[in-house]
Amino acid sequence: QVQLVESGGGLVQPGGSLRLSCAASGTIFSIYVMGWYRQAPGKQRELVADITSRGTTNYADSVKDRFTISRDNAKNTVYLQMNSLKPEDTAVYYCNAVRPSFYYSGPYYWGQGTQVTVSS
């Protein structure tokens, strides 16, 4: 079982930057694939990026050249550095954890979400 708490969301102007953090507890953090998802009003939750315990990353095409996911296993924390933000990035961002063996089936563990608003 994993408990996840996101932080770092807020209001930023287009072209600006923001860094999200997700702190994990309750399990062995290094085992899990960690991901960031987002959900805009009226839309489905979508994968933004994820990262394996060894640092292999995966990004949605819409953020690939602008966002960077990273993790610090010693701190049980995963980060999402967001640069060149666009209004289309506005959403609630959720942290996710899943064991590699259950990547396609779950169970998936979720944080409470943090709001990111990109507006001038």
Side-chain angles (χ1 to χ4, degrees), residues 7 16 23 31 37-38 44 50 72 82 94-95 99 108 116:
S7 62
I31 292 175
Y37 290 70
R38 66 186 181 186
Q44 297 293 312
D50 59 19
D72 187 337
M82 303 184 293
Y94 296 91
C95 185
R99 289 179 177 266
Y108 307 101
V116 172

Side-chain angles (χ1 to χ4, degrees), residues 11-93:
L11 176 64
V12 64
Q13 293 185 340
S17 297
L18 209 59
R19 189 176 77 154
L20 307 183
S21 299
C22 172
S25 63
T27 190
I28 303 174
F29 177 78
S30 61
I31 292 175
Y32 289 83
V33 177
M34 302 299 299
W36 287 98
Y37 290 70
R38 66 186 181 186
Q39 187 168 24
K43 295 186 177 181
Q44 297 293 312
R45 190 173 298 186
E46 64 176 353
L47 174 68
V48 176
D50 59 19
I51 183 169
T52 70
S53 61
R54 296 186 180 184
T56 300
T57 58
N58 177 53
Y59 296 92
D61 289 341
S62 59
V63 308
K64 189 174 183 178
D65 297 323
R66 301 183 295 119
F67 292 8
T68 302
I69 189 171
S70 61
R71 67 192 295 162
D72 187 337
N73 289 336
K75 296 182 178 180
N76 291 352
T77 302
V78 63
Y79 305 94
L80 185 67
Q81 178 66 47
M82 303 184 293
N83 298 324
S84 301
L85 282 161
K86 304 175 180 179
E88 306 92 272
D89 297 317
T90 296
V92 177
Y93 283 71

